[in-house]
Amino acid sequence: MTDTVTEAVAQAIGRVSWGSEVIPKGKWIEAANAAISTYKQCLEDESTSGNSLISRLQDATEGSRELSDSVLLVMGWKHVPASNSWYEQDNTYRGGAPDRPDPTRNLADGLALMPKGWGWLLETQGDECFATVNYPVYGHHHLFKDVPGATPELAMIIAALHAREMNTND
């Protein structure tokens, strides 16, 4: 049964065009297994709201490529493992592995993932970092104040995930 599912997913992936890239027929099974693995990892690691990822980010002492990739996937990015290509939410091709954002280690990349319209403030007090995000809607404010993180980048991306969750719930 698993092989049948894998083959069906592989054929579906082979028919999907990601930008100008189509996965060659000989790579379908490999791409399907990688896609299924990535999908299962997301299901295990991230709830729909990303709360599990937020917990992992809060526990982290520094950013990492693995955490950044999880953030991108929760934010709606797509990854084609067979070619290691990355696409934004709108299917804009962003290139291979070195070209994708690294929001848990680069503040500019994290700020780029903040939902549109949200204001932000980043504070450091000694070794402690805090991010505050705010979005005024119809006279009410959605506010996440003093969101802690081990680094400014982690604090900001945790706050961005909270903001994304609030946007999803509105």
Side-chain angles (χ1 to χ4, degrees), residues 49 53-54 57-58 71 75 103 107 110-111 113-115 118-123 129-135 142-149 151-167:
S49 64
L53 176 58
I54 290 173
L57 291 166
Q58 289 169 333
V71 167
M75 292 288 199
L107 190 56
L111 288 172
L113 295 175
M114 186 69 67
W118 282 78
W120 58 272
L121 173 67
L122 187 62
E123 300 177 78
C129 304
F130 302 93
T132 297
V133 292
N134 182 28
Y135 184 71
H142 297 297
L143 178 68
F144 293 97
K145 185 172 174 49
D146 298 332
V147 176
T151 66
E153 295 83 1
L154 288 171
M156 186 56 66
I157 203 63
I158 293 166
L161 286 167
H162 282 301
R164 177 188 173 275
E165 184 176 84
M166 183 59 70
N167 272 1

Side-chain angles (χ1 to χ4, degrees), residues 53 65 67-78 86 100-103 113:
L53 176 58
R65 182 72 265 170
L67 284 172
S68 288
D69 288 349
S70 292
V71 167
L72 293 176
L73 291 170
V74 165
M75 292 288 199
W77 282 57
K78 297 166 191 79
W86 285 83
R100 67 192 186 276
D102 194 358
L113 295 175

Side-chain angles (χ1 to χ4, degrees), residues 8-95:
V9 171
Q11 289 174 358
I13 290 173
R15 292 187 193 116
V16 173
S17 173
W18 295 87
S20 61
E21 177 183 1
V22 176
I23 299 169
K25 186 173 184 175
K27 296 278 190 176
W28 286 0
I29 299 294
E30 178 185 337
N33 284 329
I36 289 168
S37 174
T38 300
Y39 180 71
K40 284 181 181 177
Q41 185 68 36
C42 284
L43 289 178
E44 291 169 6
D45 290 348
E46 287 30 289
S47 67
T48 304
S49 64
N51 287 332
S52 178
L53 176 58
I54 290 173
S55 295
R56 287 176 44 212
L57 291 166
Q58 289 169 333
D59 293 342
T61 57
E62 61 184 15
S64 70
R65 182 72 265 170
E66 178 189 354
L67 284 172
S68 288
D69 288 349
S70 292
V71 167
L72 293 176
L73 291 170
V74 165
M75 292 288 199
W77 282 57
K78 297 166 191 79
H79 179 223
V80 179
S83 61
N84 206 13
S85 299
W86 285 83
Y87 297 84
E88 292 183 43
Q89 290 174 311
D90 64 0
N91 288 332
T92 301
Y93 176 68
R94 283 298 297 264

